[in-house]
Amino acid sequence: AKARGGSALHFYSQQMFDAFQNRLALEADLKQALLQGQFDLHLQPQIRFSDRRLTGLEALLRWQSPSRGMVPPDEFISVLEYAQLMIPVGYWVIEQSCQILANLQQQGLADLRLAINLSTAQLNDPELPAFLDKMLKLYPQAAGSLEFELTESLLASNIPDTIASMQQLKARGFRLAIDDFGTGYSSLSYLRQMPVDIIKIDKSFVFGMLDNQADFDIITSTIAMVRKLGLEVVAEGVETQAQAKTLQQHACDIGQGYLFSRPIPSNELVSRIQAGLDE
Ligand code: C2E
Ligand code: CA
Ligand code: CA
Ligand code: CA
């Protein structure tokens, strides 16, 4: 038994060593990814329930690695953050999004909004306002069309600094959304002080809403509260007509999910929109 315990320990440290090496290799590959143009944006449509028309898009980062294949963001965003690569990659995302907007406008699709995910490190980046001003000079139309999504967990720490950073974005004409609402700290009291326009209800509640009374109650009361505050409410993860119908009945403004469309590669976006988003 002793010998087995010893080898288990050895195996465990070997596993840790392997994990560490994998992590370093991943970091090295991600540095290359930015230099070699391996990132892409996929755009997921957002549909307004009142007329079932396309109203906006969310930009979602994709990494096509030559050795690893398509790597989902949940596997590399935290590594980007840890390796301090999220800010430069985030700049790339913002510039790319501005180009996509300009291209849409050239194609006569002028009134679509485009939402960009912003991590805490990006929001706190002191260079962000100057970078955005540079982008607005190059792409002046972007101001009224860009939206930034911030996760709810961000509301938990250093509220005055967070509000100041948000106000810098608002001052430039961008809309702000709270993402994954309901999963983080319940900062309902702070919501009032924050210059926020949109609340995105986390998809976990939408998945459960028709089977689980608690999820249903959370969704319907969140919609009512958000609308009472005069903000817009988006439900993410809408996969079925039944969910869409119920959300619409309870006055949810906008839906996003596989029911309407999966995220679309940037080079297919215009043709897919012109084809009415049919697969
Ligand atoms: P998120 O911001 O909550 O984005 C929504 C995620 O839900 C996306 O996953 C999207 O593909 C997925 N989704 C949309 N509709 C449905 C549906 O009907 N069913 C299901 N099961 N899933 C759906 P994705 O693209 O894998 O992104 C994961 C997370 O990575 C995002 O979650 C966001 O937090 C982060 N992320 C993605 N792109 C960026 C980026 O450019 N910058 C930063 N900072 N984070 C990003
Ligand atoms: Ca998001
Ligand atoms: Ca979300
Ligand atoms: Ca999420």
Side-chain angles (χ1 to χ4, degrees):
K2 237 182 186 165
R4 277 182 63 196
S7 72
L9 185 65
H10 174 73
F11 175 68
Y12 182 61
S13 54
Q14 183 67 42
Q15 264 189 336
M16 283 178 61
F17 181 72
D18 289 349
F20 179 66
Q21 285 223 312
N22 289 340
R23 174 70 170 237
L24 287 181
L26 186 56
E27 268 187 51
D29 284 0
L30 282 165
K31 276 197 187 111
Q32 286 303 308
L34 185 57
L35 297 172
Q36 299 183 352
Q38 295 165 9
F39 289 116
D40 189 16
L41 290 183
H42 287 202
L43 295 306
Q44 188 173 34
Q46 300 182 329
I47 303 304
R48 192 168 288 282
F49 282 118
S50 59
D51 57 8
R52 293 281 174 133
R53 285 172 67 103
L54 179 67
T55 181
L57 301 156
E58 178 177 2
L60 294 160
L61 188 58
R62 295 290 178 266
W63 177 26
Q64 182 64 53
S65 157
S67 55
R68 301 165 189 269
M70 182 69 90
V71 187
D74 287 332
E75 286 175 27
F76 67 84
I77 295 276
S78 64
V79 184
L80 288 178
E81 303 254 8
Y82 181 84
Q84 304 199 313
L85 291 167
M86 193 62 242
I87 288 174
V89 172
Y91 287 164
W92 178 88
V93 170
I94 293 169
E95 170 138 41
Q96 203 64 22
S97 298
C98 289
Q99 282 180 15
I100 289 170
L101 267 179
N103 188 38
L104 287 169
Q105 289 171 346
Q106 261 178 10
Q107 306 288 329
L109 298 162
D111 48 4
L112 294 177
R113 316 167 172 186
L114 204 159
I116 296 174
N117 292 285
L118 213 59
S119 70
T120 308
Q122 291 175 273
L123 184 71
N124 295 334
D125 168 17
E127 312 283 329
L128 181 68
F131 178 80
L132 291 170
D133 288 338
K134 203 170 81 187
M135 289 299 106
L136 287 176
K137 271 209 169 122
L138 289 169
Y139 306 95
Q141 342 77 308
S145 307
L146 279 191
E147 216 163 87
F148 288 101
E149 298 191 356
L150 311 164
T151 53
E152 197 191 0
S153 58
L154 197 130
L155 306 193
S157 63
N158 203 333
I159 304 296
D161 281 4
T162 301
I163 292 181
S165 301
M166 289 170 128
Q167 271 158 352
Q168 298 229 333
L169 297 173
K170 288 295 298 172
R172 288 166 174 79
F174 304 118
R175 266 187 297 268
L176 299 183
I178 298 299
D179 205 355
D180 301 342
F181 189 80
T183 61
Y185 293 84
S186 214
S187 314
L188 292 182
S189 61
Y190 293 124
L191 208 52
R192 275 184 314 176
Q193 314 169 31
M194 301 226 161
V196 163
D197 308 281
I198 300 152
I199 299 293
K200 290 189 83 172
I201 301 177
D202 190 65
K203 54 181 177 288
S204 59
F205 300 107
V206 176
F207 293 160
M209 65 180 276
L210 296 181
D211 312 314
N212 179 311
Q213 187 64 40
D215 285 347
F216 180 85
D217 292 342
I218 289 169
I219 293 240
T220 50
S221 54
T222 300
I223 295 171
M225 176 198 69
V226 171
R227 289 181 57 103
K228 209 155 206 170
L229 290 171
L231 310 180
E232 224 174 15
V233 57
V234 179
E236 62 176 26
V238 182
E239 294 187 350
T240 69
Q241 283 292 358
Q243 290 163 348
K245 196 172 155 210
T246 306
L247 287 163
Q248 183 169 3
Q249 277 167 353
H250 287 86
C252 185
D253 296 297
I254 293 169
Q256 178 181 347
Y258 296 166
L259 172 67
F260 304 116
S261 171
R262 296 209 169 229
I264 302 169
S266 51
N267 63 340
E268 297 171 20
L269 183 64
V270 168
S271 62
R272 287 284 305 280
I273 292 175
Q274 283 167 346
L277 294 179
D278 300 322
E279 309 277 328

